[in-house]
Amino acid sequence: MESTVSIHHGPYESIPATASPGLKFLRRFLPALDSLTPAETPISPFFTPSAPILIGSDPPISASQAVPLLGVRSRHICKFHHHVYLAWDIDLESDTGLVHTSYNRTAPDQEAAQKGQLYAPLAGNIRMKRTVMFEATSETTFKEDPDQFAVRVRGFNVLDLEGRDESDLQIVEMRIFLDQRPVQAHSASLFTGSGYSGS
């Protein structure tokens, strides 16, 4: 059976209330990811604690390790925002075919793989599985920059989601593809000798 794909063009703020579950998740998630006040806009509810976050070819870090690091961004950054151009929401609940994934909670076992199933039967009460992808430019502005120069980096992001229903969806794996060097270089020019990165 073919997967159902929903596509949104434009900023995440313009995703309508009638959009697909994954796109509506994205509209809720990105304000939390961009927020510099995590106490007011917590991001941890969007992830399962052990969800791996992979940035380029760097070793994965779990969500439980990454979320606290996001809380310190406000020490050095005064603005961070994702300008989304295009987003896709793929419904994988009834898809078939083989796929390689680093996340094994519902990855196919040998029997399921022989049957050509994309995933083994969803664990527990999980009834919904989706992959959301979006292309965006992240904009980072440092407090210490007298010119308030916005460092812009184009990137591509993949979110694997699972949940009992639409309101229960959480990220079980996040993959980020971008060049961190522009942010790192600008940070280094402002904080000589600092290892701080605003990525």
Side-chain angles (χ1 to χ4, degrees):
M1 182 180 294
E2 295 184 356
S3 299
T4 299
V5 181
S6 300
I7 301 175
H8 173 74
H9 297 263
Y12 70 77
E13 295 91 341
S14 64
I15 294 175
T18 56
S20 63
L23 291 177
K24 286 190 285 187
F25 177 92
L26 187 65
R27 182 174 180 173
R28 298 190 305 271
F29 169 66
L30 285 180
L33 180 62
D34 291 349
S35 176
L36 298 177
T37 54
E40 298 176 8
T41 315
I43 194 172
S44 55
F46 291 94
F47 290 91
T48 58
S50 60
I53 300 174
L54 301 94
I55 303 177
S57 59
D58 292 345
I61 181 173
S62 70
S64 60
Q65 295 172 306
V67 167
L69 299 178
L70 296 177
V72 304
R73 292 182 300 177
S74 60
R75 296 179 187 174
H76 301 285
I77 294 174
C78 61
K79 182 180 180 181
F80 183 74
H81 186 74
H82 281 88
H83 298 278
V84 175
Y85 305 110
L86 189 59
W88 299 260
D89 175 24
I90 307 171
D91 182 359
L92 296 173
E93 185 175 348
S94 56
D95 203 355
T96 59
L98 297 177
V99 69
H100 295 288
T101 176
S102 60
Y103 185 73
N104 60 14
R105 176 170 150 196
T106 56
D109 54 25
Q110 185 174 3
E111 181 180 355
Q114 290 176 348
K115 294 179 180 178
Q117 291 177 306
L118 178 59
Y119 296 100
L122 296 181
N125 294 324
I126 300 299
R127 294 291 178 269
M128 185 172 286
K129 190 171 190 71
R130 312 185 78 89
T131 291
V132 173
M133 305 180 294
F134 65 97
E135 184 179 1
T137 292
S138 63
E139 180 178 316
T140 305
T141 305
F142 290 91
K143 288 181 178 180
E144 288 80 358
D145 186 352
D147 299 321
Q148 291 294 282
F149 176 75
V151 184
R152 296 181 175 91
V153 178
R154 194 76 172 248
F156 191 80
N157 304 263
V158 182
L159 311 176
D160 290 331
L161 310 177
E162 289 184 5
R164 294 185 297 271
D165 52 41
E166 181 177 336
S167 65
D168 184 59
L169 284 173
Q170 287 183 298
I171 297 169
V172 297
E173 181 172 305
M174 181 175 185
R175 299 182 294 283
I176 304 169
F177 304 92
L178 53 74
D179 184 357
Q180 301 181 74
R181 289 173 297 180
V183 173
Q184 293 170 340
H186 195 64
S187 172
S189 71
L190 297 172
F191 308 98
T192 304
S194 171
Y196 173 75
S197 168
S199 59

